[in-house]
Amino acid sequence: MFRKTIFAKLFKQTEKVLKLLKFNRYQFISAGFLAAFLFIFNELKAQPDSLQLQQQSRLISNISEMSRMTCFTDSTFNPGKFRSGVAENPDEQYNQLRMPVFAIFTLNAQNWFDLFNNLSFQEKQNLLRYFSSCEEYFDKELINAGLPVELKYVAPALSGMNMLAVGENKRAGLFQLSHFQAILNGLQVNLLIDERLNSKLAAKTFVAELKKNQSVYKNTELALLGYFCGNTCLQNAIAEAGKGADINRVLALLPPETLQLIGAYQAAALFFNVNKYRKEIDPLTRPVVPDTVQINRQVHFQQITQVLGISNNELVFLNPQFRFGIIPGNVKPVKLALPKDFRDDFVFLQDSVYNLYDSALFAIVSPKIEYPPAPGRQYAGEPVKNFTIEGKTKLKYTLKTGDVLGVIAEKYDVSVEDLKYWNNISNERKIQAGKSIDIFVDNERVGDYAKAAEPVKTVKSKSADVAIAQNSPLAGVIDAAKNGKKVEHVVKDGESPYTIAKKYNGVTPDDILKWNNIRDARKIQPGQKLIVYLNK
């Protein structure tokens, strides 16, 4: 089928050449072969590659999932009429839109537009209907930030308007926000709650990220590219392209995934301008607004659905941020959206809801909630707990003379409070050069910080040359044994490495752990004998 299409187009082009050019027979044959080669090369180049097929498959899956949302069975949800359009010349029609970013239709945008255009009638209608319901607050956020409203088409390009979409590197939501972007902008992301899945909060965060990029690059196209591929990746490409390089030179140095996202964005913009959804607005009818109640206990969606007769899909649509249908109101009060006119029912029947408790519903929840130790038992370097953060990788950073937490936090795009919490630092002025701290960075940016690996030094022994890491307990013991006086300390009730270290001049809590090969300071027991090396 593909070959027939190519040669049919080639035949038409040949006819045009015969009419427009007056070559002799041999010149025409040579020119014909050249034209055929260039045409077939361009046609093959325009075919989707494996990367594009993979990304398109994910987008199709997201659109299919979006189209099954319960809102489309509700006649009161954003009522209106869908009008399907036709794009006979997509590149020309797109260029006529005069888009403020990426105004020229790219080569792979055609394949992405074909994806949107080949959706079923129902999928097209649902896609435009849901986009139309979000469009007003998308526009509002972008206008308030002084950004072009056309950037709203990023959402369907990245997620197919599936608010539950989870993509590569665990990005999530309509705008495929990373864990790091969400946390920096005040969103809650943990085991039970992921506010990236809330469409309004996701839109606010997306706009905030673009606004920050805009202030850095002073260019909207670069701001969007920074969002697509990461600012570090973009800055490296700009540096490699050289001062004064145009956008095309920068694009050539970016990952191929970024170019595909540009094509998807252009295709989405064209699709939503060719096809229309006109809202039916009745001035005498008030818009349907969900009810809201406050939850002060741990509740599962299933408890609510069984008592109030609300479908689980309705609750998921109204409250997508509760990842497993568990509302952790026992940690702190949480707001829950309910279908209109169900608030009074919930208030009246809430005891029945709470009493319908089944521990099996909460099997995924760990009942233990850990907090940092009290300041009296803190010391720099003791990890709060051996935990992981979704979408992040833990790195070790060796403190240098003159290091300040604020500078380190800025370098690694984290907050000072995060550094203090991750490393149980009660007083940031007491950090010491040579000690190591944990820093969590985005998975996608690990390579940018790979140079932070700790150095290795060689320690000379009588029997052999042994390479020992600077932060190795063995290295610390060898140095202390050579230069210090060994004493024995018997742990008393209530003592910690912090309080013990204060009794010996020049000794730190880390020294005590290192000399005694103790990994978890909380396991020190009264009566235990510890080795301490004093300066001679």
Side-chain angles (χ1 to χ4, degrees), residues 94-95 102 104-110 251 259 262-264 266:
Y94 177 83
N95 296 338
F102 306 117
I104 306 300
F105 205 59
T106 57
L107 189 64
N108 60 27
Q110 177 65 58
L251 287 173
L259 304 182
I262 294 172
Q266 292 179 318

Side-chain angles (χ1 to χ4, degrees), residues 345-374:
D345 290 351
F346 180 85
V347 172
F348 182 71
L349 297 170
Q350 60 180 316
D351 287 342
S352 299
V353 171
Y354 294 138
N355 290 334
L356 198 66
Y357 182 87
D358 184 351
S359 59
L361 297 174
F362 305 96
I364 194 169
V365 182
S366 173
K368 183 179 180 182
I369 300 172
E370 298 186 47
Y371 296 95

Side-chain angles (χ1 to χ4, degrees), residues 448-461:
D448 302 332
Y449 303 119
K451 293 181 180 179
E454 295 180 326
V456 173
K457 72 174 184 178
T458 300
V459 179
K460 195 93 170 179
S461 70

Side-chain angles (χ1 to χ4, degrees), residues 59-74 77 119-130 159-164 317:
L59 186 63
I60 290 171
S61 177
N62 282 331
I63 293 173
S64 178
E65 187 176 341
M66 174 279 307
S67 199
R68 293 193 295 270
M69 290 194 302
T70 187
C71 61
F72 299 120
T73 62
D74 182 359
F77 173 75
L119 295 173
S120 68
F121 179 86
Q122 193 63 49
E123 286 176 331
K124 287 183 182 178
Q125 178 174 275
N126 291 346
L127 184 58
L128 269 88
R129 184 179 173 187
Y130 185 56
S159 66
M161 293 307 294
N162 176 15
M163 57 186 174
L164 301 177
F317 176 72

Side-chain angles (χ1 to χ4, degrees), residues 58 62 158-159 163-183 187-191 193-197 227 323-324 388-393 441-445:
R58 188 182 302 116
N62 282 331
L158 295 183
S159 66
M163 57 186 174
L164 301 177
V166 177
E168 289 184 320
N169 300 317
K170 297 184 180 178
R171 290 176 172 269
L174 289 182
F175 290 95
Q176 292 294 276
L177 296 165
S178 70
H179 183 281
F180 189 59
Q181 289 170 329
I183 297 298
L187 299 192
Q188 195 174 355
V189 182
N190 55 44
L191 178 64
I193 298 178
D194 190 344
E195 291 185 329
R196 295 176 296 176
L197 307 182
Y227 185 83
R323 300 172 63 184
F324 301 101
T388 59
I389 299 178
E390 183 181 1
K392 287 182 174 292
T393 298
V441 300
D442 268 5
N443 289 340
E444 63 190 34
R445 302 184 65 183

Side-chain angles (χ1 to χ4, degrees), residues 256-520:
E257 294 87 348
T258 304
L259 304 182
Q260 293 297 337
L261 292 178
I262 294 172
Y265 168 75
Q266 292 179 318
L270 179 60
F271 176 80
F272 283 94
N273 277 276
V274 170
N275 301 277
K276 300 292 183 181
Y277 187 83
R278 181 174 294 179
K279 293 184 180 181
E280 293 179 352
I281 302 175
D282 185 349
L284 301 178
T285 304
R286 289 186 177 183
V288 178
V289 180
D291 288 340
T292 304
V293 295
Q294 185 164 287
I295 306 295
N296 299 298
R297 303 187 194 179
Q298 188 181 59
V299 183
H300 195 281
F301 281 180
Q302 191 170 314
Q303 294 171 254
I304 299 171
T305 59
Q306 289 185 16
V307 174
L308 300 187
I310 304 170
S311 75
N312 187 73
N313 288 338
E314 283 183 280
L315 286 180
V316 170
F317 176 72
L318 295 172
N319 306 276
Q321 67 271 25
F322 299 118
R323 300 172 63 184
F324 301 101
I326 299 172
I327 308 163
N330 57 322
V331 178
K332 66 177 182 179
V334 177
K335 288 185 177 180
L336 177 73
L338 295 172
K340 185 175 173 56
D341 298 330
F342 272 88
R343 182 184 181 280
D344 291 343
D345 290 351
F346 180 85
V347 172
F348 182 71
L349 297 170
Q350 60 180 316
D351 287 342
S352 299
V353 171
Y354 294 138
N355 290 334
L356 198 66
Y357 182 87
D358 184 351
S359 59
L361 297 174
F362 305 96
I364 194 169
V365 182
S366 173
K368 183 179 180 182
I369 300 172
E370 298 186 47
Y371 296 95
R377 288 185 60 83
Q378 282 186 326
Y379 66 94
E382 176 188 0
V384 177
K385 53 185 175 180
N386 184 23
F387 65 102
T388 59
I389 299 178
E390 183 181 1
K392 287 182 174 292
T393 298
K394 181 167 69 175
L395 299 177
K396 287 282 185 184
Y397 176 82
T398 302
L399 295 168
K400 303 175 183 65
T401 303
D403 267 346
V404 179
L405 289 188
V407 176
I408 298 171
E410 184 177 358
K411 179 180 178 181
Y412 286 86
D413 291 326
V414 298
S415 71
V416 172
E417 290 305 314
D418 282 339
L419 289 178
K420 292 171 72 174
Y421 176 75
W422 294 334
N423 298 281
N424 206 8
I425 299 172
S426 61
N427 188 343
E428 59 187 276
R429 296 182 180 179
K430 292 185 178 181
I431 60 175
Q432 297 180 4
K435 305 298 181 184
S436 63
I437 60 174
D438 293 340
I439 302 176
F440 288 87
V441 300
D442 268 5
N443 289 340
E444 63 190 34
R445 302 184 65 183
V446 171
D448 302 332
Y449 303 119
K451 293 181 180 179
E454 295 180 326
V456 173
K457 72 174 184 178
T458 300
V459 179
K460 195 93 170 179
S461 70
K462 292 183 179 179
S463 59
D465 290 338
V466 185
I468 302 176
Q470 282 186 341
N471 66 337
S472 165
L474 180 57
V477 172
I478 292 174
D479 289 341
K482 285 181 179 180
N483 305 315
K485 176 184 176 183
K486 179 180 176 182
V487 298
E488 194 175 76
H489 178 91
V490 179
V491 179
K492 299 178 179 61
D493 188 30
E495 282 189 328
S496 71
Y498 176 80
T499 56
I500 295 171
K502 289 181 68 175
K503 295 179 180 181
Y504 300 97
N505 188 33
V507 177
T508 68
D510 272 343
D511 290 335
I512 292 174
L513 293 184
K514 194 180 296 181
W515 295 335
N516 294 275
N517 197 23
I518 297 173
R519 295 186 177 182
D520 189 349

